[in-house]
Amino acid sequence: MKTRIFHPETDQNAIAEAAEIIRRGGLLGIPTETVYGLGADALNEEAVRTIFEAKGRPQDNPLIIHVPSADWLERYCRDVPAAAYELAERFWPGPLTMILPRREIVPLRTTGGLETVGVRCPNHPLTLAIIEIAGVPIAAPSGNISGRPSPTTAQHMIEDMDGKIDGIVDGGPCAVGVESTIVDLTVTPPRLLRPGGLPLEALREVLGEVAVDKAVTEKLDDGERPRAPGMKYRHYAPKAPVTVVTGDPDRSAAYIGEHLSPDDGVICFDEYAGDFAGHIIHNLGPVEDRLAQAQHVFDALRTFDVTAVSHIYAQCPDDAGLGLAVGNRLKKAAGFHVVEAGKKPIVIGLTGPTGAGKTSALAALERLGGCILDCDAVYHEMLRTDKVMRRDIAESFGDVFDENGLNRQKLGSIVFADPAALERLNAIIYTRLVPEIRRRVNASAAPIVGVDAINLFESGLDQLCHRTVGLLAPVEVRIRRIMARDGISEEYARLRVKAQKGENFYRAHCSDILVNDAASAAEFENKAYAFFCHLIKQIKEESNHE
Ligand code: TXA
Ligand code: MG
């Protein structure tokens, strides 16, 4: 069969000819705002039979019918509740399918043998016009071959249906990108059978209580029947196995980063694409833009069908708004193979001049279950291991590395004589250090991470922290401590203290100040412990309010 591609934008007769295909009992690919559909006259049993055939769809999986307005509801449905009209008023035309009792005129072949029928009014001018001209409701499942991701462009439909159907109407890329939300209005309370283009929150605004079918969030046990028969099939599945990683995006990215093998692919939020350089990736859209994610999710799954990857990891949005539908499609593609990346740790930055008692403060934080990242140690590690940092330093400062590593004296003699050079060096270090610390924070399994950094603010590391704590102590106390600790003279200790930033710097920049005025290290550790307990409680309260 030759499949005609209609371009109504440039072809005046396209709509009428496409409608004629429906009237004749043919098969037509139709654009909707959600996904492309594979349409036929819903009242014509023979035409409906060919839909199942072209898709390779099991006969017991019912089709939804598409109508041009709520005025058609009475023709095909019995006992239509007032709520159906309220929903139609608010959300039609739009991505909402309502399950209602069917009238006899709707063949059982269309409803997969059920006494109910799914009805929706799609928000696409071309398809609405075709239904009006054809004068019959169009039964249309998504236009993919059964089991494949739903088509969101005419090109996708051509990939799956070329040669098998009479025509495809090109109506541009789908604005929503995931299928309609399905709500069953024949039960009390109404039940969400499939999350889709209309958020659950919007349904609840009109209906009040809405139950969520188990098939939306979980893999069903063998033999368990979902209320929407289609939800039982492993849908949308690319060829490679998929692992969906839920949780805070920083955490899910870190989880994926740790588990990724060289020939694995990633579906990730735009912000994290850089983390997976060198892998085949497909962007889902920005973290905060769930509509973009809905628009991209099927395309992402489809592209991985034609690229050879051995495993696909996917970051997953949370359940708010369209996130429920996006997450559901990803999880179904994964056969509900889902891992939870875990909560993000509380991050506390610690800074301050020497001799203020940092060791005791860090010990207190560790007693609270915190893990400490010593940024100075990480920096020294990177001087040995980070090729880019070494290269950039060498490019800027010449031959400062020898067989023992960095020649500090040589580099020091350059940068301490020239403030501009020091600034350049710091810029090189911070550009590499901050992402590395961020990565380590996110990869940490600890509930609390202490970021210990002398240059917490200058480096930008403070941006990673929920709070920044400045550790201060009276100057005379610090001098005595430095003398005892480092075995140096009072004069030299005073010089060192003078060379450091004063208290005012920390008071101006830190969100919190901890003063060490205790008589002993043990006493201060207890004070710090109480201080951090309080601070962590505050941070938890604040993040709950967000
Ligand atoms: O956005 C959409 O809804 C797209 C476009 C083309 O309109 N259509 C679509 O159809 O996604 P389909 O067949 O791929 O998915 C319809 C789902 C299936 O899971 C089916 O089992 C369920 O709706 N369904 C249809 N009629 C039903 C009924 N009477 N009771 C329960 N579930 C029903
Ligand atoms: Mg489908």
Side-chain angles (χ1 to χ4, degrees), residues 55 57 142 144 150 179 194 235-236:
K55 258 184 84 89
R57 178 174 174 119
S142 50
N144 50 290
S150 299
E179 301 92 335
R194 176 176 76 182
H235 252 189
Y236 320 125

Side-chain angles (χ1 to χ4, degrees), residues 141-155:
S142 50
N144 50 290
I145 294 172
S146 251
R148 293 208 69 203
S150 299
T152 51
T153 62
Q155 187 53 43

Side-chain angles (χ1 to χ4, degrees), residues 231-299:
M231 293 290 276
K232 76 181 166 208
Y233 299 104
R234 183 182 175 223
H235 252 189
Y236 320 125
K239 284 162 197 148
V242 182
T243 298
V244 170
V245 188
T246 61
D248 178 275
D250 280 348
R251 296 292 263 187
S252 56
Y255 178 96
I256 293 171
E258 273 166 59
H259 290 81
L260 204 58
S261 302
D263 50 355
D264 291 345
V266 184
I267 296 175
C268 62
F269 299 120
D270 294 4
E271 293 86 339
Y272 297 89
D275 292 15
F276 307 113
H279 291 267
I280 296 179
I281 57 172
H282 199 104
N283 289 14
L284 199 51
V287 170
E288 292 302 333
D289 189 347
R290 285 154 207 269
L291 178 59
Q293 294 161 26
Q295 288 164 346
H296 293 146
V297 64
F298 284 132
D299 198 32

Side-chain angles (χ1 to χ4, degrees), residues 367-401:
R367 254 167 65 199
L368 279 159
C371 136
I372 308 300
L373 284 176
D374 177 343
C375 296
D376 195 46
V378 174
Y379 159 59
H380 283 108
E381 184 190 322
M382 290 178 80
L383 279 178
R384 291 192 310 275
T385 56
D386 186 301
K387 292 200 185 72
V388 178
M389 188 192 274
R390 288 169 67 105
R391 184 202 64 200
D392 290 352
I393 292 176
E395 269 174 15
S396 248
F397 301 101
D399 202 7
V400 289
F401 289 95

